[in-house]
Structures are given as structure tokens and as C-alpha cells.
Amino acid sequence: MPSNRIGRINEEIQRELADQLRRLKDPRVSQVGMVSITRVDTTSDLRYARVYISVLDKDQEKDVLKGLKSAGGFLRRELGRALQLRYTPELQFIADDSIQHGTHILEILRQVERQDEARDDPDAGETEE
């Protein structure tokens, strides 16, 4: 099954790039709080890989993407050395806000839960005399 192979390659690329990000010396990437690779999508011919990046501080997201784009050649070379594939995919870095979106949904669910508790227990706000 080729899709299973691509899935394994995506995981290996994600693991190796995460390791390389820790060693990257570009200040736009290394001096930012937290940079995470949320997922990798590789084309079936292994020519291109979309790398989805999440940055803790959204103000620095554009700088991080510029730093990763400029370090793309280095990262691709190191990836080629580590994975031993016939073709090392060209890396395309894309901002991913799925973590922020998930946090927003979680906060909405907590608000609904608090409203339900307040509606079910009307005496919670009153004090006895």
C-alpha cells in the first residue's frame, strides 16, 4: 500500500525536521519561544513536502517562516542524509493555526459547561441567612 509508505515517510520527515529545528542557528527560529511541526504532507512522487508549522507567539510567525524558508536548503540536505530516499522532497513551510483553533474551541466548551452548571444549580449564587 503506497499510502502507508507515504505516511511512514511523513512521520520520519516530521521527526527528523523537529530534531534539526533544535539545532538550527538562525535567530529568527532559535530565539522564538516554541516552534512545532504539526504535520507533514508529502506528494506521492516524493518531490514536495508541505511542512505545517505552529508558533507559540503568533507575532513572530512570519519571521519564523522566513527563517525556515532561508534555511530550507540546509534542512533538505540534512534530511537527505538522514532518510536515504531516492528523492529528497523540496520543503514548503506553511503556518498552521490548528493548535490555536483547538484552544479556542476548548475555551468555548468550558464556557458552555459553566453556563450549564449555573443553570442547573440556581442556589449556587445565594447565601443562607
Side-chain angles (χ1 to χ4, degrees):
M1 293 178 65
S3 62
N4 191 20
R5 179 176 182 259
I6 294 294
R8 288 192 318 260
I9 290 172
N10 287 340
E11 290 174 6
E12 286 297 318
I13 290 173
Q14 183 175 356
R15 188 175 304 120
E16 185 61 33
L17 284 177
D19 187 44
Q20 291 298 325
L21 284 182
R22 281 188 240 117
R23 291 186 250 155
L24 203 59
K25 295 180 181 177
D26 191 325
R28 295 174 287 191
V29 179
S30 63
Q31 294 179 357
V32 176
M34 188 173 93
V35 179
S36 301
I37 299 174
T38 56
R39 76 173 199 252
V40 175
D41 289 334
T42 307
T43 58
S44 60
D45 62 355
L46 298 178
R47 297 289 183 172
Y48 298 97
R50 288 185 175 173
V51 181
Y52 294 89
I53 302 291
S54 179
V55 181
L56 185 62
D57 185 8
K58 291 296 174 186
D59 297 335
Q60 297 176 332
E61 187 174 84
K62 288 183 180 179
D63 288 338
V64 169
L65 288 174
K66 286 180 185 176
L68 289 172
K69 186 176 180 181
S70 70
F74 168 76
L75 291 171
R76 184 178 181 190
R77 185 182 72 224
E78 294 299 315
L79 193 63
R81 287 181 183 165
L83 297 184
Q84 302 292 322
L85 296 171
R86 179 176 291 178
Y87 301 110
T88 303
E90 183 179 325
L91 304 174
Q92 300 170 339
F93 295 100
I94 300 169
D96 185 16
D97 62 347
S98 62
I99 294 175
Q100 182 182 11
H101 185 69
T103 305
H104 177 70
I105 290 173
L106 185 61
E107 183 58 36
I108 290 172
L109 291 173
R110 286 183 181 149
Q111 288 175 356
V112 169
E113 186 177 287
R114 286 192 294 263
Q115 290 172 354
D116 284 348
E117 288 174 359
R119 186 177 35 208
D120 290 344
D121 192 12
D123 297 331
E126 298 177 9
T127 58
E128 291 187 24
E129 292 181 32

